[in-house]
Amino acid sequence: MTALDNTRTVAVVGAGTMGQGIAQVALLAGHRVLLHDAAPGRAVAAVDGVGGRLDRLVAKGRLTPDGHKAALARLGAAREPAELAGAGLVVEAVVEDLAVKQRLFADLEETVAADCLLATNTSSLSVTAVAGSLRRPGRLVGMHFFNPAPLMPLVEVVAGAASDPAAVATAHATAAAWGKTPVRCTDTPGFVVNRVARPFYAEALRVYEERAADPATVDALLTGSGGFAMGPFALMDLIGQDVNEAVTRSVWEAFFRDPKFTPSLAQRRLVESGRLGRKTGRGWFPYEGGAGGSGGTGGEPVPEPHTAEPALPPRFVAVRGDLGPARALAALAEEAGVEVRRDEARGDAVRGDEVRGDVARNGEDAGAGPWRGREPGALVLPSGTPLRLADAGPHRAPVVSFDLALDYRTADRIGIAPSPGVHAAAVEEATGLFQAMGKEVSVIRDVPGMVVARTVAMLVDLAVDAVAREVASPEDIDTAMRLGVNYPLGPLAWGEALSAPYVCALLENLHAWYPTGRYAPCPELRRRAYARTGGVIS
């Protein structure tokens, strides 16, 4: 299917920031663009706003003077809906209210030609429901742009239950012709990005609510170790606590209160207090003037992440078993001048029950599944304490857990968590080891899955579930998460790198600690884990 010809007019209804951004994208793709808004005078003001954006592009050398002049000649304001009659595509970017959108499209259906494609930019409402009142719902699709639309490359092209495949294909081709990277998805709550991304915020909030780490430390671990561009608490402040919580609550309600999407009480209290983030000057962190400044309000200091004091590295570490995703640590320790002993640990250094990946379950079924009996690897410290990749502590025997990293070589911060009973000397040894590798170290409370590991495991689980439910293709899901929320790696690719058995075992153990259903691995992830380990699904 070919894209909408650029000789056809594109109308944008809703002249706010998003509407102006979409208008700019279509305008620079060569279309004539009409902006319309129900508020008197707003469409005219929006035309001036888009003109100002084009002026800045010329000043930066990104648009030629001739291109600027031609674009302005194609841009106009429609004061009445009747002026949109000749449009080949109408993109709606009005308030997120189902009744408002339904009325708008019902009116447009009476105005535009039969071949006009209708698109909603909704981020949280059902495309199917938006089209539900139309006589011809097949010509309405979702085209979810991300803010700021001129800069963000991703567009989610959403097929409602009644959308014609030809309409979806045209919208997809048009977005691509406009220089965007479109991904196709079905009409599911949150589409791809807002569905799969929920754990990035939810797990950070859960760790905070358990007082395992403060917001600054959680953010530092997810950026410095996890490789994310921005930590979840800073990102929630940027988005707006009210907006972010509303999306979470919308997805939760749309999934009939599935525990995987449960909102946070801590965030609810922040919203109720009016601490909405940068726009109010205070959210999880303080900001100057409520306009996105970086300093504290009224002299309030900006919180710093917990960073351990310098410690001496251990004389040696002994490698016990397979370190799995953390295999690089043995080489990094050697490069840091720490002797690495392979299979030379004292016989009493690590007992089998200390390094098993089992969770205390008051029974013999701990670690149930195809990975039963597998011992996760460990770096054994001179004190005899195992230093082990986060699985799902707390643990029955002394162990120091360390968090997952996207790349242990390039990570600049590592989180560690001593279990109850670990001597201070062992914490010093672990801290010194990672510091010798050039990492800053944050010591957090012994919480199941720590910070990065549990976050990534949940992102992988929701992405795998989306594939199984045919929400989108695996390629489109990873593309959406990389381009829509700037993840360092698509969650499906990340899951492959970690292995399905590791992710599934981590979630199983988390589910044992929190038996609410939130952490229960989706069926498809279980299948992949069994397939990798030769297990049999019962």
Side-chain angles (χ1 to χ4, degrees), residues 56-153:
R56 290 190 289 274
L57 290 178
V58 172
K60 294 176 181 178
R62 297 177 184 173
L63 182 64
T64 66
D66 287 345
H68 176 266
K69 182 179 179 180
L72 287 179
R74 296 193 302 271
L75 178 63
R79 291 170 175 79
E80 299 296 332
E83 297 176 54
L84 308 180
L89 166 63
V90 180
V91 183
E92 164 272 312
V94 302
V95 64
E96 285 287 271
D97 183 298
L98 179 60
V100 171
K101 292 179 188 289
Q102 287 178 328
R103 285 195 301 271
L104 169 63
F105 281 112
D107 291 342
L108 285 170
E109 192 174 39
E110 301 298 324
T111 302
V112 299
D115 66 344
C116 179
L117 180 64
L118 303 177
T120 173
N121 183 56
T122 183
S123 61
S124 60
L125 299 176
S126 164
V127 172
T128 302
V130 171
S133 62
L134 297 180
R135 294 194 310 274
R136 292 182 54 209
R139 62 168 164 172
L140 189 142
V141 301
M143 290 185 74
H144 179 215
F145 290 78
F146 288 74
N147 201 24
L151 299 180
M152 295 294 284

Side-chain angles (χ1 to χ4, degrees), residues 216 281-288 294-305:
R282 188 70 168 87
W284 293 111
F285 306 115
Y287 303 92
E288 285 184 358
S294 59
T297 302
E300 184 178 357
V302 177
E304 294 291 334

Side-chain angles (χ1 to χ4, degrees), residues 406-487:
L406 174 65
D407 183 337
Y408 282 98
R409 182 170 293 278
T410 59
D412 58 24
R413 182 177 294 269
I414 295 291
I416 65 172
S419 68
V422 169
H423 294 298
V427 179
E428 289 271 328
E429 289 174 339
T431 299
L433 175 64
F434 285 113
Q435 288 175 341
M437 297 178 192
K439 323 296 184 188
E440 292 188 298
V441 176
S442 293
V443 182
I444 71 170
R445 184 180 169 192
D446 185 26
V447 63
M450 297 191 69
V451 176
V452 181
R454 71 193 291 167
T455 300
V456 172
M458 286 294 287
L459 291 170
V460 171
D461 181 68
L462 290 192
V464 169
D465 187 57
V467 170
R469 296 175 185 273
E470 298 184 352
V471 171
S473 70
E475 296 77 16
D476 276 357
I477 288 172
D478 272 1
T479 296
M481 301 312 293
R482 286 188 296 101
L483 299 184
V485 278
N486 203 22
Y487 283 3

Side-chain angles (χ1 to χ4, degrees), residues 41 47 123 208 257 373 382 393 403 475 499 509 532:
V47 167
S123 61
Y208 167 75
R257 302 195 171 189
D403 212 346
E475 296 77 16
S499 84
N509 289 338
R532 287 284 296 272

Side-chain angles (χ1 to χ4, degrees), residues 145-185:
F145 290 78
F146 288 74
N147 201 24
L151 299 180
M152 295 294 284
L154 183 69
V155 177
E156 291 177 317
V157 178
V158 186
S163 298
D164 289 336
V168 176
T170 298
H172 187 277
T174 299
W178 290 358
K180 298 301 181 183
T181 302
V183 297
R184 297 172 188 256
C185 62

